[in-house]
Amino acid sequence: MADEIIDLTRYLKREPASELPRGTMSLWGADDGGRSRFALPLWRLIYLARAERAVISWADAARQGDLTPFIALDVAADPARLHVDPARVPRFRPEEGPSLVDLVDEGLVIYLGSRAGRIWTLVIDGGTDREEVLAPSSREDVLFLAGECAGLLFLRDMADDGKGF
């Protein structure tokens, strides 16, 4: 495994969005070791959505009010921005299947699933300059990567207590 830092701005083919050193990424919530497995799929999701951050968070299924961050990867701010406006996240029902809401230039919201009375979502936003919905091939890649995140959450039982390994 290489010890090099991945320079995301090279892949985005645009100027860095912040004053941070070129290629800086801020990963929040991976202190326990297990959550660091989310870094690569979140980074790839940011790239596909032409965004600046990805946040996996949960809300109480009964209220679906405030969102509690679980992990965040941010390429435009250090420390990572954690707040997600709950008004931007649709009210998903626990029995729903995975779904993607494309807000075009405002980013993406993906319903990952529910467990233990919590609704889990993935928000990818910030700095997006998209003027159209994702192309079908990009949408498929985004859903695949969101599935990787859901697999980590639910198959490794991280969603049970929201703490991880």
Side-chain angles (χ1 to χ4, degrees), residues 32-95:
D32 65 3
R35 292 188 205 181
S36 63
R37 296 174 186 225
F38 289 93
L40 183 59
L42 292 178
W43 176 81
R44 293 177 66 201
L45 285 160
I46 289 169
Y47 165 70
L48 287 168
R50 296 193 325 226
E52 293 176 345
R53 74 170 180 154
V55 181
I56 294 177
S57 56
W58 60 268
D60 183 280
R63 291 184 305 236
Q64 289 194 40
D66 290 333
L67 297 165
T68 302
F70 177 75
I71 190 159
L73 180 66
D74 199 322
V75 298
D78 187 15
R81 296 166 288 167
L82 304 178
H83 178 73
V84 174
D85 182 1
R88 292 186 52 223
V89 178
R91 293 184 64 88
F92 296 110
R93 295 183 315 275
E95 65 276 2

Side-chain angles (χ1 to χ4, degrees), residues 114-130:
S114 68
R115 183 176 293 171
R118 295 181 174 149
I119 302 289
W120 290 86
T121 57
L122 168 59
V123 174
I124 307 156
D125 65 1
T128 182
D129 58 1
R130 289 186 304 119

Side-chain angles (χ1 to χ4, degrees), residues 104-141:
V104 189
D105 64 340
E106 293 182 31
L108 306 169
V109 179
I110 303 168
Y111 170 69
L112 297 176
S114 68
R115 183 176 293 171
R118 295 181 174 149
I119 302 289
W120 290 86
T121 57
L122 168 59
V123 174
I124 307 156
D125 65 1
T128 182
D129 58 1
R130 289 186 304 119
E131 296 177 1
E132 298 178 352
V133 296
L134 290 173
S137 61
S138 293
R139 185 179 175 90
E140 288 175 17
D141 290 344

